[in-house]
Amino acid sequence: MDTTDKKLLQLLQTDTKKTIKELSLKLNLSVTAVYERIKKLEREGIIDKYVALLNRNKINKGFVVFCHLKLLQHTKEFINQFEKEVVKLDEVLECFHVSGDYDYILKICVKDMDEYREFLVTKLTTLNHIGSTHSTFMIGEVKNTTVYSV
């Protein structure tokens, strides 16, 4: 990956709706060269997928919770079963297996506290092998980006 690929990736991460022609003008390359670079980055798995980022508040998902979770045991069976079940929960946007006092950190987006309580009681705590949970609620968002420096 050369510096042109890195510039191209920065541009795509910032606005994927730019046309190949617009990208070619910014990179001083031909349209064909930019197209081929994008296809190569896709083939190599550097570009994984294209998505639309939604405004959480406009779709009634502005209440953000970080739920720290402990499993009862750290057996392979418990871990595999929990991970298989948690990925099915639509309210969970991100789930990280972490070190430290907790085993997992989940990022959960719902409408409000009532909806979070309902989610916690009827979905999350019904999963097998959960020992305890600790919820932290977002007060304000300081930085939220999907752009990696390459």
Side-chain angles (χ1 to χ4, degrees):
M1 188 169 26
D2 62 15
T3 55
T4 303
D5 284 337
K6 290 177 181 180
K7 286 178 189 172
L8 176 58
L9 288 170
Q10 288 296 125
L11 291 168
L12 286 171
Q13 287 183 95
T14 305
D15 183 3
T16 193
K17 287 191 77 167
K18 285 201 184 315
T19 65
I20 292 178
K21 183 175 182 176
E22 289 172 314
L23 294 169
S24 70
L25 292 171
K26 288 194 177 276
L27 296 168
N28 294 320
L29 293 173
S30 71
V31 170
T32 304
V34 171
Y35 176 81
E36 290 302 323
R37 282 178 181 267
I38 291 171
K39 289 300 169 197
K40 178 184 72 118
L41 293 166
E42 290 171 348
R43 274 192 313 275
E44 293 174 354
I46 293 169
I47 296 175
D48 192 28
K49 60 183 151 182
Y50 299 92
V51 299
L53 301 176
L54 307 181
N55 181 323
R56 281 191 305 270
N57 294 315
K58 297 210 181 226
I59 59 166
N60 290 321
K61 301 291 180 189
F63 192 76
V64 180
V65 183
F66 297 97
C67 182
H68 300 70
L69 191 138
K70 281 186 191 180
L71 296 181
L72 290 171
Q73 295 179 15
H74 299 107
T75 65
K76 186 175 182 178
E77 175 195 341
F78 282 19
I79 289 169
N80 288 340
Q81 185 173 3
F82 170 76
E83 289 179 0
K84 193 161 83 172
E85 292 173 2
V86 77
V87 297
K88 295 176 187 173
L89 301 175
D90 292 335
E91 296 86 351
V92 177
L93 269 69
E94 300 176 50
C95 176
F96 301 98
H97 192 182
V98 297
S99 64
D101 292 337
Y102 293 93
D103 300 316
Y104 292 90
I105 298 175
L106 283 58
K107 180 180 178 183
I108 301 161
C109 294
V110 290
K111 180 181 178 184
D112 53 23
M113 180 64 83
D114 290 336
E115 193 172 299
Y116 179 64
R117 183 182 189 285
E118 182 70 16
F119 166 77
L120 193 64
V121 171
T122 63
K123 292 184 180 180
L124 188 61
T125 56
T126 63
L127 299 183
N128 292 320
H129 314 306
I130 292 179
S132 65
T133 63
H134 174 86
S135 301
T136 305
F137 307 101
M138 181 183 78
I139 295 171
E141 191 170 81
V142 177
K143 181 178 181 179
N144 181 355
T145 184
T146 60
V147 178
Y148 292 100
S149 176
V150 287

